[in-house]
Amino acid sequence: MPIAEVCVFVGLPESIIAAACSRSGQRVLHVDSRSYYGGNWASFSFSGLLSWLKEYQENNDVVTENSMWQEQILENEEAIPLSSKDKTIQHVEVFCYASQDLHKDVEEAGALQKNHASVTSAQSAEAAEAAETSCLPTAVEPLSMGSCEIPAEQSQCPGPESSPEVNDAEATGKKENSDAKSSTEEPSENVPKVQDNTETPKKNRITYSQIIKEGRRFNIDLVSKLLYSRGLLIDLLIKSNVSRYAEFKNITRILAFREGTVEQVPCSRADVFNSKQLTMVEKRMLMKFLTFCVEYEEHPDEYRAYEGTTFSEYLKTQKLTPNLQYFVLHSIAMTSETTSCTVDGLKATKKFLQCLGRYGNTPFLFPLYGQGELPQCFCRMCAVFGGIYCLRHSVQCLVVDKESRKCKAVIDQFGQRIISKHFIIEDSYLSENTCSRVQYRQISRAVLITDGSVLKTDADQQVSILTVPAEEPGSFAVRVIELCSSTMTCMKGTYLVHLTCMSSKTAREDLERVVQKLFTPYTEIEAENEQVEKPRLLWALYFNMRDSSDISRDCYNDLPSNVYVCSGPDSGLGNDNAVKQAETLFQQICPNEDFCPAPPNPEDIVLDGDSSQQEVPESSVTPETNSETPKESTVLGNPEEPSE
């Protein structure tokens, strides 16, 4: 009967809370039914992603009834069943366009020996074997998941079966020696070695076999986000010194899609005056307006009359050309043309401008090896201070004391009680009965593997963000983030492209029009044609993800006061919502504790029983640590010389 002070389940906000509680001296137990860290914030290798898709199909097809927990409930207790299925992912569709010359002996380079204990069933293995011997059609039939119904022969491109790893095993090895490395090192220094005779794939001939073989070079995020250089998450990473567990790369380009073409947007002062897209008059107009946006709160008379109008209408009154209005609205403020009010637009523009120059010419950073590194970083901090982690360990129900109406324990898959004072749980764990009054939004996501950038330049290692405005009433603007191989998220010669928007239909219906504008499907004929204008699409995945942000606690039925619910990923570009959630809940659990303070200097730590030294109070350690920890963490890069 394990006892903890805080019991945590899944996700980035939960991982931050776990780290903060462990740092403050709480006993933390982190339980997850999955075999990887981070829940829907995770990152996968290519084979890991295919296994994740398969896992969702099996999760939907197999109905498991475990009544063991019912026998454990006493007379003075009642149980709140938890969901046995994760219903946060729906409408999954997979398409493979790359040449399918797959042979049976093609394996993922550097793959670890499979743990046979993790194989779910013989039927699953047979389905995977059948998939290996079949050739996937160019356009796969839609795979619903809401459903989550993924026919085994169509849910994946043919490839080796693998347990759903999230690069934690490989990351553990590579991270041990990577803290002192620069983020500008060659990818081959940080990823598992491939055989020496492996040739770099030719740009015009990237096959599905090569994607499978180089699968461990992919780190594919389920949620696509960036870090604002002066955002809450960067500040927290520096303050807590968790930044030492990760490396980051500066986003190099802000792009705009206008009149069918992609162009680079000048956003810093240097970019504006060096731009050949803008006339001298436009440059002055833009600099004057951006200067006002930084100080807009000091001049309320300038915008007060427009507070009831949209930001788009307000821009039309500011003596800006249509070209500049477009850049400011869609590439700097990144707000909706029809729904964002003037104040929201000015606030977003100010935030963008304030983040410029801290680590480079754009406001954004991206974590090497993917967004999934971030929850793992906080999990490492939690473990350093004594946190215990149990993966592949499902929980059946919450045990509530009838008299106090507080949760006193949870019962796991083995019928064992886990007692704790506080329970932090992600929304996806709650049953339909508990969430019957909750109205969820959805996020439409697409993940693409392409053979080129949406905007070709002399430098091929570009990390770009692009916003494609909504065209139809009721639809939403689509955010496109394009990652190159130096971000450690894809193999050389390819780009990993993430598309995200609020859902109005299924993910494919929402995003396919943008994919068709920016890319062309790979075909053997076009592979021989050097004059193809658009980058070729090699592989695509579409899915809808639940957005449980902004759900009020009051919407959940009969939730005990010591059970705290965190949301999954939201549709925003940054991670501020996750950090705010984590800090708010931490203050409820530990009201008099500092939120994720920097760890003490190892030289000042005195072990119990060491009579040769007196114990140093933490209050005297913290200032010393802060004085040694620069405001701009060295792991995040020198602000004057961003790593690219």
Side-chain angles (χ1 to χ4, degrees):
M1 186 178 293
I3 300 177
E5 290 176 285
V6 181
C7 189
V8 183
F9 305 82
V10 198
L12 177 60
E14 297 89 333
S15 299
I16 296 174
I17 297 170
C21 290
S22 183
R23 175 68 182 88
S24 67
Q26 304 286 320
R27 295 192 302 273
V28 176
L29 175 63
H30 194 130
V31 181
D32 201 328
S33 60
R34 300 174 176 91
S35 58
Y36 52 88
Y37 294 98
N40 284 346
W41 301 81
S43 302
F44 294 95
S45 66
F46 188 75
S47 63
L49 183 67
L50 299 183
S51 296
W52 174 80
L53 294 172
K54 185 176 180 181
E55 186 178 281
Y56 268 94
Q57 180 236 342
E58 292 171 348
N59 183 43
N60 185 74
D61 292 345
V62 179
V63 178
T64 58
E65 289 290 340
N66 188 347
S67 59
M68 186 183 301
W69 60 269
Q70 297 176 0
E71 302 171 0
Q72 306 295 322
I73 305 302
L74 305 178
E75 290 184 4
N76 63 337
E77 298 171 343
E78 64 181 50
I80 299 179
L82 297 176
S83 177
S84 60
K85 297 180 180 180
D86 187 344
K87 300 180 180 179
T88 59
I89 304 296
Q90 297 180 337
H91 310 303
V92 174
E93 301 181 61
V94 181
F95 298 85
C96 186
Y97 302 97
S99 176
Q100 297 162 34
D101 58 347
L102 191 66
H103 302 289
K104 288 186 178 181
D105 58 348
V106 175
E107 294 181 356
E108 186 178 69
L112 300 176
Q113 183 68 32
K114 182 173 65 176
N115 180 5
H116 293 282
S118 66
V119 179
T120 54
S121 66
Q123 182 180 2
S124 303
E126 292 173 3
E129 184 177 351
E132 280 187 305
T133 58
S134 64
C135 189
L136 193 68
T138 302
V140 187
E141 289 297 319
L143 312 175
S144 68
M145 233 203 210
S147 347
C148 283
E149 297 176 1
I150 311 180
E153 69 274 10
Q154 294 180 352
S155 63
Q156 332 175 358
C157 299
E161 183 178 359
S162 169
S163 61
E165 309 169 16
V166 187
N167 308 308
D168 192 46
E170 65 185 273
T172 302
K174 74 193 175 194
K175 285 292 175 91
E176 293 294 333
N177 301 316
S178 68
D179 283 349
K181 293 181 182 178
S182 165
S183 61
T184 57
E185 286 191 62
E186 290 296 319
S188 59
E189 296 293 328
N190 289 321
V191 295
K193 299 291 184 183
V194 185
Q195 294 180 356
D196 293 336
N197 59 356
T198 301
E199 298 181 0
T200 302
K202 295 181 181 180
K203 182 176 180 181
N204 291 327
R205 180 64 178 173
I206 297 176
T207 65
Y208 187 69
S209 292
Q210 290 170 325
I211 294 175
I212 288 290
K213 192 170 185 178
E214 299 283 349
R216 291 178 73 81
R217 294 190 183 274
F218 288 89
N219 286 285
I220 302 172
D221 297 328
L222 294 185
V223 58
S224 177
K225 288 180 177 290
L226 300 176
L227 286 78
Y228 281 92
S229 65
R230 295 189 188 277
L232 296 180
L233 185 53
I234 287 290
D235 291 343
L236 181 62
L237 288 167
I238 295 173
K239 171 190 173 184
S240 62
N241 208 17
V242 172
S243 57
R244 71 184 185 273
Y245 297 126
E247 297 177 85
F248 300 85
K249 187 174 178 66
N250 186 239
I251 303 305
T252 57
R253 301 186 300 186
I254 309 292
L255 304 179
F257 184 80
R258 190 167 183 233
E259 297 177 354
T261 60
V262 178
E263 52 188 313
Q264 187 166 347
V265 176
C267 48
S268 68
R269 183 183 294 271
D271 288 343
V272 170
F273 285 105
N274 291 330
S275 174
K276 296 180 180 179
Q277 304 165 251
L278 306 178
T279 65
M280 189 58 66
V281 173
E282 284 182 316
K283 291 177 182 180
R284 292 195 187 98
M285 287 179 178
L286 182 58
M287 286 307 304
K288 182 178 179 181
F289 179 74
L290 296 181
T291 301
F292 161 72
C293 288
V294 173
E295 306 169 345
Y296 82 93
E297 292 168 311
E298 300 174 12
H299 307 282
D301 293 339
E302 296 288 333
Y303 64 87
R304 184 170 292 159
Y306 303 96
E307 287 182 345
T309 64
T310 63
F311 187 50
S312 175
E313 292 296 325
Y314 172 72
L315 291 176
K316 295 176 182 178
T317 69
Q318 295 303 298
K319 299 180 180 178
L320 298 173
T321 64
N323 196 30
L324 296 180
Q325 292 177 35
Y326 189 92
F327 285 167
V328 171
L329 182 64
H330 298 295
S331 300
I332 296 179
M334 300 184 190
T335 57
S336 169
E337 189 169 351
T338 57
T339 60
S340 294
C341 67
T342 298
V343 175
D344 288 344
L346 291 172
K347 190 181 297 184
T349 304
K350 179 181 179 179
K351 181 178 181 179
F352 181 99
L353 297 171
Q354 285 181 325
C355 293
L356 288 172
R358 190 178 192 186
Y359 297 110
N361 288 333
T362 72
F364 306 113
L365 295 173
F366 180 79
L368 296 187
Y369 306 101
Q371 175 79 19
E373 288 295 292
L374 298 177
Q376 291 191 63
C377 287
F378 286 99
C379 289
R380 291 186 185 105
M381 177 182 174
C382 178
V384 165
F385 288 95
I388 299 174
Y389 284 80
C390 296
L391 300 182
R392 306 180 185 89
H393 199 97
S394 62
V395 176
Q396 305 298 316
C397 70
L398 304 173
V399 180
V400 180
D401 183 81
K402 289 183 178 179
E403 188 173 333
S404 65
R405 299 306 304 167
K406 285 193 174 183
C407 183
K408 57 194 296 187
V410 294
I411 298 178
D412 67 10
Q413 66 203 65
F414 305 109
Q416 184 180 33
R417 285 195 176 212
I418 301 174
I419 299 175
S420 180
K421 293 180 181 178
H422 306 279
F423 299 86
I424 300 159
I425 190 168
E426 200 211 35
D427 172 274
S428 63
Y429 270 79
L430 299 176
S431 67
E432 290 184 0
N433 289 337
T434 305
C435 302
S436 61
R437 294 185 294 126
V438 177
Q439 296 293 323
Y440 293 112
R441 294 174 297 186
Q442 296 288 327
I443 304 169
S444 290
R445 290 277 291 114
V447 179
L448 315 176
I449 300 175
T450 70
D451 71 346
S453 174
V454 293
L455 182 61
K456 296 180 181 178
T457 60
D458 294 336
D460 61 345
Q461 293 300 306
Q462 298 280 4
V463 186
S464 311
I465 178 171
L466 164 68
T467 301
V468 180
E471 289 184 346
E472 302 173 358
S475 62
F476 300 91
V478 176
R479 182 175 69 244
V480 182
I481 296 177
E482 182 183 72
L483 305 172
C484 60
S485 60
S486 64
T487 62
M488 312 301 184
T489 59
C490 57
M491 59 182 273
K492 284 187 176 181
T494 66
Y495 284 79
L496 187 66
V497 184
H498 292 275
L499 289 80
T500 308
C501 74
M502 289 294 296
S503 298
S504 57
K505 303 174 183 177
T506 67
R508 182 185 171 193
E509 290 171 326
D510 285 336
L511 300 173
E512 192 172 42
R513 61 177 180 84
V514 175
V515 173
Q516 292 172 347
K517 289 178 180 179
L518 298 175
F519 307 98
T520 184
Y522 180 98
T523 66
E524 291 295 333
I525 297 176
E526 289 174 344
E528 306 299 327
N529 181 11
E530 295 288 343
Q531 303 301 319
V532 176
E533 295 182 1
K534 299 178 183 177
R536 288 186 286 264
L537 180 60
L538 305 172
W539 186 86
L541 164 67
Y542 298 92
F543 62 93
N544 289 92
M545 177 183 289
R546 177 191 292 177
D547 180 359
S548 55
S549 62
D550 299 327
I551 299 294
S552 170
R553 178 185 175 85
D554 297 334
C555 295
Y556 300 107
N557 298 323
D558 301 325
L559 208 59
S561 60
N562 62 334
V563 175
Y564 309 90
V565 181
C566 290
S567 71
D570 64 328
S571 61
L573 176 60
N575 296 274
D576 284 2
N577 187 59
V579 178
K580 288 177 181 176
Q581 273 191 81
E583 184 168 10
T584 299
L585 296 183
F586 173 78
Q587 294 300 339
Q588 294 177 23
I589 298 169
C590 305
N592 300 318
E593 297 289 342
D594 189 13
F595 180 59
C596 282
N601 190 330
E603 296 178 359
D604 295 328
I605 298 176
V606 178
L607 300 177
D608 291 339
D610 188 349
S611 59
S612 62
Q613 301 181 34
Q614 292 185 346
E615 186 173 351
V616 182
E618 185 178 346
S619 58
S620 65
V621 174
T622 305
E624 223 174 292
T625 304
N626 288 341
S627 65
E628 292 180 5
T629 305
K631 183 178 180 182
E632 315 296 356
S633 169
T634 55
V635 179
L636 287 172
N638 187 331
E640 303 301 325
E641 299 177 9
S643 54
E644 296 184 5

